[in-house]
């Protein structure tokens, strides 16, 4: 399947993973679970008014401007930065396959010296 380039975006996203086990200090006080943030780069598809991960359509995203407390949104993916994929591919290309998206994403992460960790690889 080929996707319209104008509906695809290269994005830096964050997932907040909450510890599920309480820790205890030496005096017996509980240390509440703390969030751990995982930042990653991926390609998002704008479909039916929502951003979804091109590699996992079940994942829904929130824009950082919609989030007041990231800790309260653990287990949800948050878009930190986003840019049109059309900015990174040759002019005139209208449609692109998922395999081509993976290739473009790999080129972008290497060219921009970004962390090579992509969401679909985890």
């Amino acid at each position: 399947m080929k996707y319209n380039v104008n509906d695809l975006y290269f994005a830096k996203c964050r997932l907040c993973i909450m510890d599920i086990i309480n820790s205890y200090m030496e005096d017996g006080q509980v240390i509440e679970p703390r969030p751990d943030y995982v930042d990653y780069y991926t390609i998002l598809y704008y479909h039916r008014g929502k951003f979804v991960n091109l590699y996992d359509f079940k994942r829904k995203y929130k824009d950082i401007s919609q989030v007041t407390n990231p800790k309260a949104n653990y287990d949800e993916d948050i878009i930190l930065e986003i840019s049109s994929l059309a900015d990174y591919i040759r002019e005139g290309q209208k449609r692109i396959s998922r395999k081509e998206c993976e290739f473009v994403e790999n080129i972008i992460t290497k060219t921009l010296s970004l962390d090579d960790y992509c969401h679909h690889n985890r």
Side-chain angles (χ1 to χ4, degrees):
M1 177 175 173
K2 294 233 176 196
Y3 299 92
N4 185 332
V5 171
N6 294 325
D7 295 333
L8 296 171
Y9 297 85
F10 182 73
K12 179 179 181 180
C13 302
R14 171 171 289 166
L15 179 61
C16 176
I17 303 168
M18 194 66 79
D19 292 335
I20 59 170
I21 299 171
N22 286 330
S23 300
Y24 295 90
M25 296 187 344
E26 289 180 18
D27 61 3
Q29 287 186 325
V30 175
I31 302 173
E32 292 183 15
R34 290 176 291 209
D36 186 19
Y37 299 100
V38 177
D39 289 352
Y40 60 90
Y41 296 94
T42 192
I43 294 181
L44 301 180
Y45 176 48
Y46 190 69
H47 182 67
R48 296 184 182 168
K50 295 182 180 177
F51 288 103
V52 294
N53 193 296
L54 184 67
Y55 312 109
D56 181 359
F57 278 86
K58 295 176 189 165
R59 287 201 173 275
K60 304 284 188 277
Y61 288 78
K62 286 188 175 179
D63 190 286
I64 191 68
S65 63
Q66 301 170 337
V67 177
T68 54
N69 181 6
K71 291 180 189 176
N73 289 279
Y74 70 91
D75 249 7
E76 292 181 306
D77 296 86
I78 299 170
I79 301 168
L80 299 177
E81 299 170 21
I82 193 165
S83 57
S84 174
L85 196 65
D87 296 342
Y88 299 100
I89 62 175
R90 69 177 177 252
E91 194 173 322
Q93 188 165 359
K94 302 277 188 226
R95 302 187 74 72
I96 190 169
S97 71
R98 181 179 155 171
K99 197 70 174 163
E100 290 169 316
C101 284
E102 290 176 10
F103 179 73
V104 170
E105 181 181 46
N106 189 32
I107 297 288
I108 294 168
T109 55
K110 287 181 179 172
T111 303
L112 299 179
S113 299
L114 302 173
D115 183 3
D116 201 22
Y117 181 76
C118 295
H119 195 246
H120 60 277
N121 291 332
R122 78 174 167 124

